[in-house]
């Protein structure tokens, strides 16, 4: 379609014609990120950002100041070279009702092989959906919390005050030692430790956390624990004022459980629905 014109913000079939894909319309322009149609991203409706009021909080383990880096501290610019180019929305058929073109920053990065539908993490023992155009293969170093990493991401802000980048990501890996794992039944203790590490190491502070889910579950029949939360902050230099994220620890029967980490900054709140969608589609290998 050439553009929904006066249509309200929401997901609509991709104006470039990608089969089964939808793109977010904010009322004046198209998002640069595609996502598959399905639960949480039904066409014609959107997600509302939830931003709790910030309150003082100091991270227990300050790392590189208080900025969030893409998961691993200090590995940002050496592992992947990201070129940022200005792209005019509408040059590929995405029309808007605004005669002035909207300019967005679109990062380039390592892409998945044609035909990829799942990201298979052999080390962690899980697989989950690849979300398509606009998501790049995560090729940075392993974070503190896992011994290796697989996944997908895209950059939402090129430079933040600590010198790194801010990203949306869905990544996985085997949980590293020292985070509370002692075998079956220790999923909750492990995820509590991981949640504190993630909050201290990868987000600006002070920040406030609102827990949305903290409960036992099963993932593809395997025991698991899901911890979903919203962080909010008021820190100069960040485009986002918060983020919705989830950690899922899955007992795959291996020596170390799998950790699935999903995070969407509120600058891209229209993608919040992919969190539940991905969690619900995880396969245990």
């Amino acid at each position: 379609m050439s553009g929904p014109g006066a249509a309200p913000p929401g997901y609509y079939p991709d104006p470039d014609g990608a089969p089964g894909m939808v793109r977010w319309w904010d009322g004046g322009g198209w998002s640069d990120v595609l996502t598959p149609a399905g639960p949480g991203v039904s066409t014609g409706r959107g997600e509302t950002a939830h931003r709790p009021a910030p309150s003082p909080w100091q991270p227990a383990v300050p790392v590189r100041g208080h900025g969030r880096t893409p998961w691993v501290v200090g590995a940002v610019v050496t592992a992947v070279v990201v070129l940022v180019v200005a792209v005019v929305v509408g040059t590929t058929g995405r029309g808007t009702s605004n005669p002035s073109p909207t300019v967005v920053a679109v990062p380039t990065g390592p892409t998945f092989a044609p035909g990829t539908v799942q990201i298979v993490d052999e080390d962690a023992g899980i697989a989950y959906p690849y979300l398509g155009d606009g998501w790049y293969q995560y090729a940075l170093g392993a974070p503190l919390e896992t011994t290796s990493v697989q996944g997908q991401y895209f950059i939402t802000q090129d430079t933040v005050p600590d010198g790194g980048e801010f990203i949306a990501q869905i990544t996985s890996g085997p949980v590293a030692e020292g985070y509370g794992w002692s075998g079956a039944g220790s999923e909750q203790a492990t995820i509590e430790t991981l949640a504190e590490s993630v909050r201290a190491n990868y987000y600006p502070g002070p920040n406030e956390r609102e827990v949305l889910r903290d409960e036992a579950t099963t993932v593809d029949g395997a025991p698991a624990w899901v911890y979903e939360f919203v962080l909010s902050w008021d820190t100069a230099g960040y485009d986002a004022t918060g983020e919705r994220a989830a950690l899922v620890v899955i007992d795959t029967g291996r020596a170390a459980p799998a950790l699935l980490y999903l995070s969407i900054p509120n600058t891209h709140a229209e993608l919040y629905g992919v969190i539940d969608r991905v969690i619900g589609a995880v396969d245990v290998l």
Side-chain angles (χ1 to χ4, degrees), residues 114-170:
T116 298
V117 295
Q118 265 195 331
I119 295 171
V120 179
D121 187 341
E122 295 285 358
D123 292 341
I126 61 173
Y128 44 93
Y130 164 51
L131 295 177
D133 186 30
W135 292 84
Y136 295 91
Q137 186 172 8
Y138 193 93
L140 304 178
L144 300 173
E145 294 80 9
T146 61
T147 55
S148 64
V149 64
Q150 296 287 336
Q152 57 196 318
Y153 83 111
F154 66 89
I155 296 172
T156 63
Q157 184 178 349
D158 299 323
T159 305
V160 291
D162 73 349
E165 298 154 334
F166 212 83
I167 64 174
Q169 70 185 87
I170 299 173

Side-chain angles (χ1 to χ4, degrees), residues 190-200 209 227 229 247:
T190 302
I191 211 164
E192 288 175 353
T193 307
L194 290 168
E196 290 305 318
S197 178
V198 166
R199 182 181 182 183
R209 178 171 59 192
Y227 186 87
F229 57 95
L247 305 177

